[in-house]
């Protein structure tokens, strides 16, 4: 998903506490996908209710959001709208990968190889419209704002960050930097030990903060050049040039400024839809029509939905709701800069 | 590079007044005064103080210098069992402040000022001005702490009132206009504050009277003098808004 800018990004490890009292626009599809892929049993089966309906996404959303608000972090979730036509190829190939993974999962299960089974199972996660709707309903009941993007969710989240309405953008996706997010925070969905896929190995995962300004100034490039680099490497909207990774791409933009000049110098092929893809990142489809208001949770609605409909343990839901209650009380406190 | 000497009590007043909100502070030394401004991490309380060169026993600052200090370090010095009446601060070497207290010398490493952003002051319009004996407010705060986490400050043309509403008990302290030092108030105003912050602020007031600027569901500004009339501390505190 997205362009791998990690080698250039210079992330700084932070703790969730460092985000206390900050507002964060979270790329909702990105985080829900992570819940669906990670919150699974050992053999890869996602969490399900008594009717066999998957609940990994709403479990993750409830508890993770509770952890954030407990620290005074004010989240707003940003959902994808309609994808850009150029993204169709990526979406189709993702669908194919999922179908193949589903077969491989079943086969691994039949062979009794739980490691393999879990690995493939994680790749089968589908964020269906029903699941998105469930997540949105839950957020509404919890009193947490959510915004529907006209286009890409990460573009909208980055836009809200650029306007200064939120302090940072929460996503795993480095594309947020291309969309101009001033501060990208990664690894907010899961922290602590995370299992390496396919291996009996766990790594410590901590949230990390990436500053667009720092990335650009330390490499001496402009955001337009970062976008050109991404286009060379391949994005969700184009294939990219074989053999060009982050390091080569950086060197190319530092030496030749733009793709046009590279083509002229004969170091890169002409890129299809170049201007269109640039526009996707630099002038993204976004809206200013959103309201950031955190309200007290409708506790009855939350319990009805989670414990009534999906048989979540009432005690655990109550435990999470307690955190939302404290969050709502704390919010009565205004900040000096609100005036 | 500079050298200043100040009464230990005055330095203690400054450290007490600022350390209730922040652990680190950027002090601006100019040829005629020292000033600093800091907001707590939650952006609820702000302190803004200035101390004129006249407040010092010795003040030799030739050019503007910004120093970022760790307030805990200064506090630990001030806690020492010492009867020295003055403290000297000498800044000769980048990144280091030399503190002399009698025959005791501490070389104190400074923080990087680049990491500390300058604090902007919100522009507030506060029409009601109350000047009240600090001891009265202190009494009201102590009584309120026993019943609640919040305190409401209200005023009308007849007087000033502090009230705290707990689950079972309430406290109120009414100070009529003639018991106040002065009162400028055209209409009823009321704002609610976290007692945590408010009581820390009131407890660090060292002057006999306190000037309070109040609005409706609006930040409060409190002003008091420091080092006679050679210094001034202003606190700003954001309100709590009841049931949105």
């Amino acid at each position: 998903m997205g362009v791998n800018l990690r080698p250039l990004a210079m992330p700084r490890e932070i703790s969730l506490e460092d985000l206390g009292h900050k507002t964060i626009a979270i790329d909702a599809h990105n985080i829900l996908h992570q819940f669906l892929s990670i919150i699974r049993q050992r053999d890869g089966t996602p969490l399900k209710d008594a009717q066999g309906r998957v609940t990994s996404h709403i479990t993750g959303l409830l508890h993770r959001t509770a952890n954030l608000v407990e620290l005074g972090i004010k989240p707003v979730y940003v959902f994808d709208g309609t994808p850009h036509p150029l993204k169709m190829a990526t979406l189709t190939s993702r669908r194919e990968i999922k179908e193949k993974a589903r077969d491989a999962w079943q086969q691994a299960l039949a062979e009794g190889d739980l490691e393999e089974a879990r690995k493939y199972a994680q790749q089968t996660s589908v964020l269906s419209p029903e699941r998105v709707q469930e997540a949105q309903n839950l957020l509404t009941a919890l009193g947490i704002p959510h915004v529907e993007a006209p286009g890409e969710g990460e573009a909208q989240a980055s836009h809200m960050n650029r306007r200064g309405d939120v302090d940072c953008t929460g996503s795993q996706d480095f594309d947020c930097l291309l969309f101009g997010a001033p501060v990208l925070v990664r690894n907010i969905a899961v922290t602590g030990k995370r299992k390496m896929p396919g291996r009996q190995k766990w790594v410590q995962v901590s949230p990390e903060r990436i500053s667009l300004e720092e990335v650009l100034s330390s490499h001496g490039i402009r955001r337009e050049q970062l976008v050109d680099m991404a286009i060379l490497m391949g994005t969700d909207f184009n294939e990219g040039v074989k053999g060009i990774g982050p390091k080569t791409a950086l060197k190319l933009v530092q030496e030749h400024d733009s793709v046009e000049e590279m083509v002229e110098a004969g170091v890169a092929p002409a890129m299809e839809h170049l201007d269109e893809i640039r526009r996707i990142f630099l002038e993204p489809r976004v809206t200013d029509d959103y309201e950031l208001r955190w309200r007290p949770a409708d506790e009855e609605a939350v319990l009805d939905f989670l414990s009534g409909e999906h048989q979540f343990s009432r005690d655990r839901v109550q435990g999470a709701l307690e955190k939302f209650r404290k969050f709502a009380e704390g919010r009565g406190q205004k900040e000096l800069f609100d005036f | 590079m500079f050298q200043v000497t100040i009464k230990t009590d005055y330095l203690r007043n400054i450290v007490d007044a600022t350390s209730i909100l922040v652990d680190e502070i950027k002090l601006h030394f100019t040829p005629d005064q020292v000033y600093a401004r800091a907001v707590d991490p939650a952006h609820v309380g702000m302190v803004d103080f200035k101390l004129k060169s006249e407040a010092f026993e010795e003040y030799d600052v030739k050019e503007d210098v910004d120093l970022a200090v760790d307030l805990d370090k200064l506090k630990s010095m001030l806690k020492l069992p010492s009867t020295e009446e003055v403290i000297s601060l000498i800044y000769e070497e980048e990144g280091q402040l030399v503190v002399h207290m009698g025959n005791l010398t501490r070389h104190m490493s400074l923080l990087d000022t680049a990491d500390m952003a300058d604090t902007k002051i919100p522009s507030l319009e506060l029409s009601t001005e109350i000047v009240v004996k600090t001891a009265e407010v202190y009494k009201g705060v102590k009584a309120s702490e026993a019943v609640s986490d919040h305190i409401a400050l209200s005023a009308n043309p007849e007087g000033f009132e502090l009230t705290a509403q707990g689950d079972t008990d309430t406290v109120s302290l009414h100070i009529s206009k003639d018991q106040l030092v002065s009162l400028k108030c055209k209409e009823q105003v009321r704002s609610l504050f976290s007692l945590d912050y408010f009581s820390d602020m009131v407890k660090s007031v060292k002057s006999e009277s306190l000037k309070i600027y109040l609005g409706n569901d609006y930040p409060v500004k409190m002003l008091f003098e420091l080092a006679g009339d050679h210094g001034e501390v202003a606190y700003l505190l954001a309100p709590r808004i009841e049931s949105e």
Side-chain angles (χ1 to χ4, degrees):
Chain A
M1 280 222 262
V3 183
N4 180 20
L5 296 173
R6 182 167 194 91
L8 312 172
M10 304 179 304
R12 281 190 199 184
E13 200 174 291
I14 57 167
S15 66
L16 272 187
E17 285 78 6
D18 294 335
L19 298 175
H21 304 290
K22 292 216 158 54
T23 45
I24 181 166
I26 298 176
D27 178 353
H29 282 243
N30 186 280
I31 202 168
L32 291 171
H33 258 296
Q34 289 182 75
F35 295 143
L36 282 165
S37 108
I38 296 162
I39 305 176
R40 284 171 184 269
Q41 301 165 39
R42 265 198 78 208
D43 66 353
T45 310
L47 298 192
K48 289 181 183 170
D49 65 10
Q51 289 80 41
R53 292 173 298 190
V54 171
T55 56
S56 298
H57 55 306
I58 46 182
T59 306
L61 190 61
L62 172 72
H63 291 293
R64 199 55 183 165
T65 310
N67 291 344
L68 296 178
V69 300
E70 188 180 22
L71 296 170
I73 302 168
K74 296 193 272 186
V76 45
Y77 287 86
V78 184
F79 287 84
D80 282 349
T82 49
H84 190 280
L86 285 178
K87 200 172 177 174
M88 287 310 165
T90 302
L91 296 176
T92 309
S93 87
R94 278 186 201 162
R95 211 157 25 236
E96 283 163 6
I97 290 170
K98 277 176 191 156
E99 276 158 24
K100 275 187 200 145
R102 206 165 297 135
D103 294 341
W105 177 21
Q106 290 312 319
Q107 179 153 3
L109 278 181
E111 289 165 5
D113 187 343
L114 287 182
E115 269 309 298
E116 283 289 293
R118 194 182 153 91
K119 183 179 95 182
Y120 286 115
Q122 291 195 334
Q123 300 171 9
T124 64
S125 315
V126 177
L127 188 55
S128 63
E130 295 74 37
R131 290 178 185 167
V132 168
Q133 189 61 54
E134 286 171 335
Q136 290 174 338
N137 292 347
L138 177 59
L139 288 170
T140 303
L142 289 170
I144 300 297
H146 49 91
V147 174
E148 180 150 359
E152 306 288 323
E154 61 264 48
Q156 178 67 26
S158 304
H159 174 67
M160 291 160 64
N161 192 183
R162 267 167 74 81
R163 289 183 86 204
D165 286 338
V166 296
D167 297 308
C168 48
T169 304
S171 177
Q172 293 307 94
D173 212 327
F174 289 105
D175 283 7
C176 296
L177 299 173
L178 306 176
F179 286 119
V183 180
L184 171 62
V185 177
R186 301 182 74 249
N187 298 341
I188 45 165
V190 189
T191 47
K193 299 266 185 219
R194 186 187 290 176
K195 195 176 166 304
M196 300 276 285
R199 276 184 278 167
Q200 286 295 350
K201 218 179 140 183
W202 281 261
V203 285
Q204 180 68 35
V205 182
S206 307
E208 54 188 32
R209 179 185 188 279
I210 298 161
S211 149
L212 176 62
E213 175 60 36
E214 265 176 46
V215 172
L216 297 179
S217 64
S218 70
H219 299 298
I221 55 173
R222 305 183 311 274
R223 185 172 143 221
E224 290 76 13
Q225 291 177 298
L226 191 67
V227 169
D228 273 13
M229 284 175 55
I231 295 172
L232 290 167
M233 291 156 60
T235 66
D236 285 348
F237 310 97
N238 76 316
E239 277 260 8
V241 183
K242 252 205 165 67
I244 295 190
K247 280 184 194 145
T248 316
L250 177 62
K251 206 164 155 253
L252 284 172
V253 294
Q254 282 170 338
E255 282 169 13
H256 301 279
D257 193 67
S258 66
V259 169
E260 283 88 347
E261 288 184 26
M262 292 173 211
V263 174
E264 207 156 293
V267 292
M271 305 296 297
E272 215 183 338
H273 306 302
L274 178 61
D275 286 328
E276 178 63 20
I277 304 166
R278 280 176 177 161
R279 260 197 304 279
I280 293 175
F281 290 118
L282 298 171
E283 299 158 35
R285 285 183 298 152
V286 290
T287 176
D288 291 346
D289 182 20
Y290 50 80
E291 194 195 22
L292 302 186
R293 265 193 80 180
W294 290 265
R295 298 180 162 85
D298 180 346
E299 302 199 356
E300 211 167 303
V302 174
L303 281 163
D304 276 355
F305 175 57
L306 294 176
S307 301
E309 207 177 320
H310 292 291
Q311 303 99 38
F312 282 33
S313 139
R314 278 192 92 83
D315 282 353
R316 291 210 64 197
V317 176
Q318 286 285 10
L321 282 174
E322 174 68 28
K323 295 175 185 172
F324 285 92
R325 219 173 293 142
K326 288 217 173 98
F327 174 60
E329 279 167 21
R331 257 190 352 268
Q333 178 63 57
K334 293 283 145 191
E335 296 184 11
L336 283 170
F337 302 107
D338 294 341
F339 295 91
Chain B
M1 309 303 118
F2 65 73
Q3 173 156 359
V4 302
T5 302
I6 185 172
K7 285 207 171 92
T8 312
D9 277 346
Y10 290 172
L11 185 64
R12 186 175 288 121
N13 291 164
I14 292 173
V15 171
D16 288 347
T18 49
S19 63
I20 59 167
L21 292 173
V22 289
D23 300 330
E24 301 166 354
I25 197 160
K26 185 153 82 177
L27 300 170
H28 307 272
F29 286 84
T30 73
D32 53 336
Q33 66 170 354
V34 181
Y35 69 96
R37 189 180 289 167
V39 63
D40 82 308
H43 294 172
V44 173
M46 183 182 288
V47 58
D48 181 14
F49 83 82
K50 52 176 176 280
L51 198 58
K52 292 188 200 141
S53 59
E54 290 86 350
F56 291 78
E57 305 300 303
E58 182 199 359
Y59 194 86
D60 182 15
V61 180
K62 299 244 165 10
E63 52 180 14
D64 291 6
V65 179
D66 289 352
L67 296 187
V69 295
D70 181 337
L71 288 168
D72 279 342
K73 290 187 182 177
L74 278 178
K75 250 189 181 166
S76 73
M77 290 280 302
L78 293 165
K79 268 195 208 132
L80 296 173
S82 155
T83 54
E84 293 300 329
E85 285 188 355
V86 297
I87 285 189
S88 296
L89 308 176
I90 300 162
Y91 179 66
E92 281 174 334
E93 197 182 321
E94 189 102 353
Q96 183 175 274
L97 188 67
V98 181
V99 184
H100 287 298
M101 200 163 80
N103 56 358
L104 185 77
T105 301
R106 169 150 177 186
H107 290 255
M108 191 178 285
S109 68
L110 294 165
L111 304 160
D112 189 354
T113 50
D115 292 342
M116 297 174 72
D118 286 316
T119 306
K120 275 188 244 147
I121 293 197
S123 64
L124 302 174
E125 284 176 31
L126 291 155
S127 56
T128 297
E129 183 194 299
I130 305 142
V131 183
V132 57
K133 290 258 183 303
T134 310
E136 286 286 305
V137 181
Y138 183 76
K139 180 172 71 184
V141 164
K142 287 301 276 184
S144 299
E145 282 178 335
V147 304
S148 180
D149 298 332
H150 312 140
I151 189 165
L153 307 188
S154 53
N156 59 33
E158 273 74 56
F160 173 52
E161 194 169 56
L162 290 87
T163 41
Q165 176 105 42
D167 290 336
T168 54
D169 295 18
T170 58
V171 159
S172 70
L173 173 75
H174 184 79
I175 310 170
S176 63
K177 187 172 179 179
D178 53 351
Q179 293 169 299
L180 291 166
V181 180
S182 72
L183 175 68
K184 281 181 212 155
C185 180
K186 288 212 174 69
E187 52 188 359
Q188 167 83 28
V189 287
R190 182 180 187 276
S191 297
L192 184 73
F193 301 96
S194 151
L195 200 45
D196 269 355
Y197 283 90
F198 188 71
S199 94
D200 278 351
M201 288 178 173
V202 169
K203 285 171 190 169
S204 70
V205 177
K206 296 296 182 270
S207 61
E208 202 178 306
S209 63
L210 170 65
K211 203 181 264 186
I212 298 175
Y213 295 89
L214 196 62
N216 255 324
D217 285 337
Y218 206 67
V220 62
K221 180 176 175 182
M222 291 187 278
L223 266 186
F224 61 95
E225 288 175 343
L226 198 70
D229 57 354
H230 296 309
E232 188 180 68
V233 178
Y235 279 129
L236 295 182
L237 176 60
R240 295 185 55 89
I241 305 293
E242 291 154 289
S243 63
E244 254 180 84

